[in-house]
């Protein structure tokens, strides 16, 4: 062992055995300290030597920590100890705890995709406006309560759906990034979030009259069973229609204290047919993945005959709206707006490309305007 490797000077004399042992122990202790400093600072530092230089340095590969031997001209650790990956845990380092983020829960409730809330809310607003006495503005308090209820209960339905369908969602390109399927939210966390959503929904429900509360309790059966229907029947969109349009009954009774069935029943049936139109279009986005994993839908059931079926459901929607207008005694603005709504529906059905997922999504989202057109006719009619 040359003194130049230990003492760092070309003029140093050859050390005696006792001097060498002392120098060796001192050098080894310093090596450990320097190595630990390098490990701690490795995330924000870069090695001073190039790869070729590092490869030429003899390394003591002990299991505890890699030591540079007394022959090495530098105390720099090999490149394998340096990392720019902030998620990598170094030896003997405690993994960093994951901080809480509300973003996955907002996505779980689909607050980033409000179209579902609009489609749930419009039937409620239709019936609230229909039940409002002639010449009066709909009750703002009721509109606010039903809006909040639509947001939290639509979110609760999505949470239930994602808990039950988490294994399916991981196999579908469009849904594999959902919070539960991707692991951003665990099932126990989702259940706790669901409890919070239901608590808020219960608070909204208890603010209404007893008749409406009874209708709300009855709707829970539909909310809980819908996610299971795609395993059982090719008509899960029918069950979704029964669920999403239940607000027709609740909105009317919240104003009038009871349902006038000759008005609300045609409107409820119109809403169901409308749901079959827009959700069948929506289901065509996933039909290939659904076929692979065994999930059923009207998109698969109708296949290439989808447009003919949609025309039938579109006609059912318009017939239901006509029946509602007749029994409610709607004035001329309603009958002026109804053909506009019909034209929008026919445009969707006539132009949708069921083999183009993006086009299906755009047509699906456009249904918020159909709901608005119908509501505008009802509202203006109430003042004429």
């Amino acid at each position: 062992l040359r003194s130049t490797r230990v003492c760092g000077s070309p003029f140093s004399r050859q050390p005696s055995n006792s001097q060498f042992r002392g120098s060796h122990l001192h050098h080894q202790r310093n090596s450990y300290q320097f190595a630990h400093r390098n490990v701690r600072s490795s995330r924000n530092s870069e090695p001073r030597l190039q790869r070729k230089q590092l490869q030429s340095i003899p390394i003591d590969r002990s299991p505890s920590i890699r030591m540079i031997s007394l022959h090495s001209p530098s105390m720099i650790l090999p490149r394998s100890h340096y990392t720019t990956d902030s998620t990598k845990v170094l030896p003997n380092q405690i993994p960093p705890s994951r901080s809480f983020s509300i973003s996955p829960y907002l996505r779980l409730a689909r607050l980033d995709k409000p179209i579902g809330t609009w489609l749930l809310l419009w039937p409620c607003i239709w019936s609230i406006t229909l039940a409002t006495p002639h010449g009066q503005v709909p009750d703002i308090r009721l509109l606010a309560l039903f809006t909040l209820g639509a947001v939290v209960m639509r979110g609760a339905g999505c949470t239930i759906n994602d808990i039950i369908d988490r294994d399916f969602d991981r196999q579908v390109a469009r849904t594999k990034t959902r919070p539960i399927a991707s692991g951003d939210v665990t099932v126990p966390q989702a259940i706790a979030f669901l409890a919070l959503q239901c608590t808020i929904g219960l608070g909204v429900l208890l603010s209404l009259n007893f008749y409406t509360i009874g209708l709300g309790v009855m709707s829970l059966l539909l909310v809980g069973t819908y996610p299971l229907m795609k395993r059982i029947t090719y008509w899960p969109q029918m069950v979704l229609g029964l669920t999403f349009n239940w607000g027709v009954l609740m909105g009317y009774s919240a104003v009038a204290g009871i349902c006038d069935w000759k008005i609300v029943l045609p409107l409820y049936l119109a809403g169901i047919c409308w749901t079959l139109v827009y959700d069948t279009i929506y289901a065509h986005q996933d039909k290939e993945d659904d076929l692979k994993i065994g999930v059923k839908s009207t998109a698969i059931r109708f296949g290439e005959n989808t447009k003919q079926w949609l025309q039938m459901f579109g006609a059912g929607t318009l017939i239901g709206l006509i029946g509602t207008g007749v029994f409610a005694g709607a004035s001329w603005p309603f009958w002026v707006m109804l053909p506009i709504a019909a034209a929008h529906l026919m445009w969707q059905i006539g132009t949708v490309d069921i083999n183009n997922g993006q086009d299906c999504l755009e047509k699906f989202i456009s249904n918020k305007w159909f709901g608005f057109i119908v509501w505008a006719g009802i509202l203006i009619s109430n003042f004429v």
Side-chain angles (χ1 to χ4, degrees):
L1 179 67
R2 289 164 42 191
S3 62
T4 57
R5 296 294 185 182
V6 177
C7 303
S9 170
F11 304 105
S12 300
R13 62 181 177 81
Q14 186 73 15
S16 64
N17 290 338
S18 61
Q19 289 176 327
F20 176 78
R21 284 195 299 271
S23 175
H24 172 74
L25 293 175
H26 177 74
H27 193 85
Q28 188 176 26
R29 183 167 58 251
N30 287 341
S31 298
Y32 274 110
Q33 292 172 352
F34 191 88
H36 281 296
R37 285 199 300 272
N38 273 333
V39 169
R40 288 194 300 269
S41 64
S42 62
R43 294 190 181 200
N44 299 317
S45 63
E46 289 294 329
R48 299 175 186 175
L49 299 181
Q50 299 297 325
R51 182 183 296 273
K52 291 182 179 180
Q53 293 174 301
L54 291 173
Q55 289 174 348
S56 65
I57 299 174
I59 302 298
D60 179 12
R61 304 181 182 276
S62 61
S64 59
I65 187 167
R66 294 184 178 181
M67 289 291 302
I68 300 178
S69 77
L70 297 175
H71 292 281
S72 51
S74 173
M75 294 299 179
I76 304 301
L77 290 173
R79 184 173 292 272
S80 61
H81 266 276
Y82 293 88
T83 175
T84 57
D85 183 4
S86 61
T87 63
K88 184 175 180 180
V89 179
L90 296 173
N92 301 322
Q93 179 181 349
I94 299 174
S97 59
R98 296 179 61 181
S99 58
F100 174 79
S101 174
I102 197 173
S103 176
Y105 295 93
L106 298 181
R107 291 190 293 114
L108 183 59
R110 306 292 195 277
L111 292 182
D112 58 327
K113 299 176 181 178
I115 179 59
T117 301
W118 280 115
L119 297 177
L120 179 61
L121 183 59
W122 278 127
C124 304
I125 297 178
W126 294 347
S127 60
I128 288 173
T129 307
L130 275 171
T132 301
H134 186 76
Q136 296 184 19
V137 176
D139 189 331
I140 301 300
R141 172 182 168 274
L142 281 178
L143 291 176
L145 285 173
F146 273 81
T147 299
L148 177 59
V151 171
V152 298
M153 292 314 295
R154 185 253 179 158
C158 292
T159 302
I160 295 172
N161 183 79
D162 286 8
I163 292 173
I164 295 176
D165 285 352
R166 60 188 183 277
D167 293 331
F168 284 153
D169 287 345
R170 294 186 184 104
Q171 303 176 60
V172 178
R174 185 179 59 84
T175 61
K176 64 183 180 182
T177 57
R178 286 177 175 175
I180 299 178
S182 63
D184 291 338
V185 176
T186 65
V187 173
Q189 289 171 335
I191 293 173
F193 183 56
L194 175 62
L196 175 62
Q197 292 171 303
C198 292
T199 300
I200 298 173
L202 179 61
V204 172
L205 185 62
L206 294 177
S207 303
L208 307 175
N209 58 53
F210 287 112
Y211 190 95
T212 309
I213 291 173
L215 289 172
V217 172
M218 292 171 62
S219 71
L220 295 178
L221 179 64
L222 293 171
V223 173
T225 57
Y226 163 68
L228 301 173
M229 292 298 106
K230 64 186 72 175
R231 296 167 169 80
I232 301 171
T233 177
Y234 283 101
W235 292 85
Q237 282 69 27
M238 175 67 77
V239 182
L240 181 67
L242 295 170
T243 306
F244 256 46
N245 294 280
W246 197 261
V248 168
L249 313 182
M250 296 181 64
Y252 198 97
S253 67
V255 177
I258 194 171
C259 284
D260 187 343
W261 292 104
K262 68 179 182 295
I263 295 175
V264 300
L265 191 58
L267 187 60
Y268 185 52
L269 295 176
I272 293 172
C273 290
W274 178 44
T275 302
L276 282 163
V277 171
Y278 67 66
D279 207 55
T280 297
I281 292 174
Y282 185 78
H284 270 283
Q285 296 178 93
D286 302 328
K287 59 188 177 184
E288 294 181 1
D289 289 326
D290 289 348
L291 284 169
K292 292 177 183 177
I293 62 180
V295 171
K296 301 177 175 65
S297 70
T298 50
I300 295 174
R301 171 67 179 80
F302 302 156
E304 294 302 318
N305 297 320
T306 290
K307 290 198 174 185
Q308 290 88 327
W309 283 91
L310 295 183
Q311 289 168 359
M312 292 172 53
F313 295 132
T317 302
L318 298 176
I319 291 171
L321 290 173
I322 291 171
T324 298
V326 169
F327 289 112
S331 57
W332 63 266
F334 176 82
W335 303 109
V336 170
M337 298 301 289
L338 190 59
I340 300 176
H344 185 281
L345 206 58
M346 289 188 292
W347 165 77
Q348 285 186 63
I349 297 170
T351 62
V352 66
D353 181 357
I354 60 174
N355 296 313
N356 184 328
Q358 183 60 36
D359 188 53
C360 289
L361 179 61
E362 291 174 359
K363 296 299 190 298
F364 170 76
I365 293 175
S366 73
N367 278 277
K368 63 185 177 183
W369 299 114
F370 176 85
F372 173 79
I373 294 168
V374 173
W375 175 68
I378 296 172
L379 179 66
I380 299 171
S381 175
N382 202 40
F383 288 95
V384 177

